[in-house]
Amino acid sequence: SYNQLTSVDRVEFPDSLQFLSLGENQLTSLSGVEFPDSLQELDLYDNQLTSLDWVGFPDSLTKLVLQYNQLTSLDWVGFPDSLQELDLSYNQLTSLDWVEFPNSLGYLGLSNNCIDPLSLSQEDRNFITTRNKKYLKSDFWISYIDYNNPSWMNEQYVCLWIEYNPSTSTSNPVTASLA
């Protein structure tokens, strides 16, 4: 942590390594990085990662921190079945299409991304609101609200924050009642 590393693709990590913190560096890619099979926690906080394409996460990984990067998509990312905590907060994600979260996941951080809750599949909504409501921290950015069709308010969100959004349309008030 706190170095100015731009790459770790040629680093040979010890076979017994269980925790690796590469936070606050300048990593732009993890392509070609070979993480040890013993790795349980990987912290990649505050780098410049834009993609996780071709990254092989070890099957033993239980915690993955990717806050404060520049990830725009998780298409085709394979998260290990052992993963229990995944923090993707403060990235530039716009969709969760094609993402398969492992059943073991107990915490999913998605705050401060640009994911429109209306774009989520019913399966993703069920996963987010039902299985993770105890641990989930999601602040969805809503870029457009159709005030003439307020059906999105009928969804049973655990928490809906409509702040820090790029929305420019505020001509009609939005009223929400959370029971």
Side-chain angles (χ1 to χ4, degrees):
S1 288
Y2 305 103
N3 294 300
Q4 294 184 9
L5 298 175
T6 57
S7 175
V8 291
D9 63 345
R10 293 191 179 159
V11 175
E12 288 189 35
F13 298 106
D15 290 338
S16 60
L17 189 66
Q18 294 181 0
F19 176 80
L20 177 59
S21 178
L22 293 169
E24 299 200 41
N25 280 293
Q26 297 174 10
L27 301 175
T28 58
S29 173
L30 296 175
S31 183
V33 176
E34 292 187 32
F35 296 109
D37 292 336
S38 59
L39 192 64
Q40 295 176 10
E41 296 186 20
L42 178 57
D43 186 348
L44 294 160
Y45 168 89
D46 199 11
N47 275 284
Q48 298 171 15
L49 298 171
T50 57
S51 171
L52 296 177
D53 292 351
W54 307 108
V55 177
F57 294 111
D59 291 337
S60 58
L61 197 66
T62 59
K63 182 176 182 178
L64 178 57
V65 178
L66 290 160
Q67 292 176 315
Y68 292 98
N69 276 284
Q70 298 171 17
L71 298 172
T72 58
S73 171
L74 297 175
D75 293 356
W76 315 110
V77 175
F79 295 112
D81 290 336
S82 58
L83 196 62
Q84 297 172 13
E85 297 180 45
L86 175 59
D87 199 336
L88 296 160
S89 303
Y90 296 93
N91 276 283
Q92 298 171 16
L93 298 172
T94 58
S95 171
L96 295 178
D97 292 346
W98 306 105
V99 180
E100 289 191 34
F101 296 112
N103 290 330
S104 59
L105 200 61
Y107 173 83
L108 175 61
L110 292 169
S111 68
N112 293 284
N113 277 285
C114 297
I115 302 170
D116 184 345
L118 301 176
S119 71
L120 295 176
S121 69
Q122 188 61 47
E123 183 180 346
D124 285 339
R125 272 189 240 165
N126 288 343
F127 178 85
I128 290 170
T129 59
T130 305
R131 293 191 56 241
N132 283 318
K133 75 170 88 174
K134 183 175 179 185
Y135 302 105
L136 182 71
K137 184 176 193 284
S138 295
D139 312 334
F140 291 110
W141 283 31
I142 297 176
S143 58
Y144 173 75
I145 297 173
D146 183 354
Y147 297 105
N148 297 318
N149 182 13
S151 62
W152 64 275
M153 288 304 296
N154 296 331
E155 299 295 333
Q156 295 186 359
Y157 296 108
V158 175
C159 179
L160 179 63
W161 291 13
I162 309 177
E163 60 186 26
Y164 303 110
N165 286 282
S167 179
T168 58
S169 177
T170 58
S171 60
N172 295 326
V174 176
T175 305
S177 173
L178 299 177

